[in-house]
Amino acid sequence: MNPDDFEKRLEHQRLRPIPGAWRGEILDAARRARDHQPSTFNPQPASWWRELLWPCPQAWAGLAAVWVLILALNSVTREPARSARSPNAPRAPEVLMALREHRRLLAELIGSPTAAEQPKPFEPRPRSERSQRIVAA
Amino acid sequence: MSPSDFLARVYDDHAHALFGFLLNFTRDETDTKDLLQELFVKLAQQPGLLEAVRDERAYLIRLAHNLAIDLMRRRATRGKNYEQLAAESASIFAPAVEPDEQAFHQALVAALGELPPEQRAVVHLKLWEGLTFEAIAEALDLLPNTVASRYRYGLDKMRDRLRLLYEEIK
C-alpha cells in the first residue's frame, strides 16, 4: 500500500456537518451568559482571590490576625526602646566621671591608698649612693 | 460589529471545524455540544480574547482542546472510561452512498477510536483541517517534532488496522 495514497484517501473523507439546530442554541446560551454576567468590570482578580482563599478561609483569617498582632506588638515595643536609648548618648562622659568618683570613694572606704591615689608622675631619683660612700671611704 | 454579530461571525467561520475536532476527540456528541457551548460562552464573556490573535482558527482549536482535556479529567475522576466511549462513538464522517465507502467509514471510525486522544487530535488536524505540523504544534502547545511523531505513529496504526479493507475497496 502506498502511504501517500492512503493519506489522500483519508483526507478525502468528508466530515459530518454540525447539526443546524445547534447554532441558535449555542449562540443563545452565549448571549444569555454575557447578559447575566455580574459585572463587566474585570471579574478575574476577584475570582482569583476567591479561588485562592476558598479552600480554608478560617485558616487564612487566623493567619492574617496573627500577623496583625505581631505588627502591633512590634510597633508598640519599638517606641520605648528608641526613646530610652536616645538620651543616653550625650550623658556618656558624665557616667564615666561618676564611675571614677564612685571607684575612688570605694577605694577610700576599703583603705587602699594606692588605689585611691592617682598614679604619681615619674620623678627621677638619684642613683644608689653606695659607690659614692666607697669612694669617700 | 455588535457583540452578537461577533459571536455569530465566529460561529459561522469556525464552528464546523471545531465540531469535527471535538467530536473526534471526545467521541461523544453531547460532550461536543457542551464543549462548543462552553467555548462560546467564554467568548461572549470575554470578547477581547480574539482581539490580538493572529490565527483565529488555531486559537479556537487550542481553547477547544483545553476545554476537552478538562472535561476528560473531570470524567476520569468520575470513572467514565473514554476508551470504551471511543469504541461506541458516532461517526464523525458524512454518510456515504456506496456500501463499500460506508464500510470504510465504519472501519476508519473504529481505527480512530483505538488511537490515544492526543494522537487522534494530531491526525485529525493534519488530515481534515489541513494544518501544518507547526500550526498543530502551536494549537496544541506541543513541539513540532512531537506532533510529527504522533502523526506518524497514529497513521501507521490506522494503516495496519485498515490495510485489508483498503486493499479490497481500492
Side-chain angles (χ1 to χ4, degrees):
Chain A
M1 171 169 35
N2 185 343
D4 290 338
D5 288 347
F6 181 70
E7 280 186 58
K8 279 177 188 165
R9 175 75 185 247
L10 294 183
E11 280 172 1
H12 287 137
Q13 304 301 314
R14 284 194 311 114
L15 296 179
R16 246 177 76 190
I18 187 169
W22 286 19
R23 187 181 190 276
E25 294 174 33
I26 288 174
L27 290 179
D28 283 349
R31 286 172 191 137
R32 275 199 306 276
R34 183 192 57 209
D35 295 342
H36 288 94
Q37 264 184 296
S39 166
T40 53
F41 176 72
N42 191 15
Q44 281 303 107
S47 61
W48 185 80
W49 277 106
R50 204 175 302 131
E51 278 184 23
L52 180 71
L53 298 176
W54 175 243
C56 43
Q58 290 89 353
W60 286 110
L63 192 64
V66 167
W67 270 107
V68 167
L69 190 66
I70 288 170
L71 290 173
L73 283 174
N74 190 31
S75 63
V76 165
T77 53
R78 199 190 307 163
E79 280 307 312
R82 194 182 293 164
S83 61
R85 193 170 51 223
S86 54
N88 271 357
R91 274 192 229 153
E94 296 167 18
V95 171
L96 281 175
M97 285 183 66
L99 273 174
R100 279 190 199 128
E101 184 65 19
H102 182 71
R103 203 189 313 162
R104 194 181 60 78
L105 285 173
L106 192 65
E108 281 178 7
L109 284 173
I110 291 170
S112 164
T114 52
E117 289 169 359
Q118 293 290 329
K120 288 181 181 174
F122 176 74
E123 290 175 12
R125 288 185 293 182
R127 291 174 183 270
S128 166
E129 293 174 1
R130 190 177 295 167
S131 58
Q132 291 175 4
R133 277 186 215 142
I134 291 168
V135 170
Chain B
M1 187 184 289
S2 74
S4 296
D5 293 342
F6 161 75
L7 286 177
R9 198 271 299 162
V10 173
Y11 188 94
D12 293 338
D13 286 353
H14 304 293
H16 174 67
L18 295 171
F19 168 75
F21 174 72
L22 286 171
L23 187 60
N24 200 359
F25 193 77
T26 63
R27 319 290 289 175
D28 185 88
E29 201 167 306
T30 307
D31 284 347
T32 297
K33 187 178 179 185
D34 289 347
L35 289 170
L36 263 182
Q37 187 164 306
E38 197 177 339
L39 190 149
F40 276 87
V41 164
K42 202 179 177 94
L43 286 177
Q45 289 177 333
Q46 299 173 47
L49 271 182
L50 291 178
E51 270 174 12
V53 170
R54 187 165 38 91
D55 183 348
E56 273 191 358
R57 176 68 60 87
Y59 185 77
L60 290 170
I61 285 171
R62 184 177 192 149
L63 277 182
H65 181 247
N66 290 343
L67 292 173
I69 295 277
D70 289 346
L71 179 74
M72 288 174 77
R73 284 182 184 146
R74 289 200 299 271
R75 289 284 163 80
T77 59
R78 292 177 204 164
K80 187 170 180 180
N81 189 340
Y82 259 88
E83 299 305 318
Q84 288 175 352
L85 195 60
E88 61 194 32
S89 65
S91 174
I92 64 163
F93 299 107
V97 179
E98 295 289 322
D100 284 351
E101 197 65 25
Q102 188 62 34
F104 186 70
H105 275 182
Q106 287 173 356
L108 182 54
V109 168
L112 280 167
E114 289 174 6
L115 299 181
E118 293 300 331
Q119 272 181 23
R120 199 159 60 233
V122 169
V123 166
H124 181 95
L125 294 176
K126 181 79 174 73
L127 289 176
W128 295 298
E129 284 302 318
L131 298 186
T132 62
F133 288 144
E134 286 75 19
I136 297 171
E138 196 178 330
L140 302 185
D141 199 16
L142 296 169
L143 293 172
N145 286 342
T146 308
V147 170
S149 64
R150 282 186 186 175
Y151 177 70
R152 199 53 57 195
Y153 283 128
L155 200 67
D156 286 347
K157 280 185 202 167
M158 287 169 58
R159 188 181 291 117
D160 288 345
R161 178 77 157 70
L162 298 171
R163 184 185 300 276
L164 289 176
L165 185 61
Y166 180 75
E167 294 294 340
E168 275 180 27
I169 65 174
K170 191 166 65 170

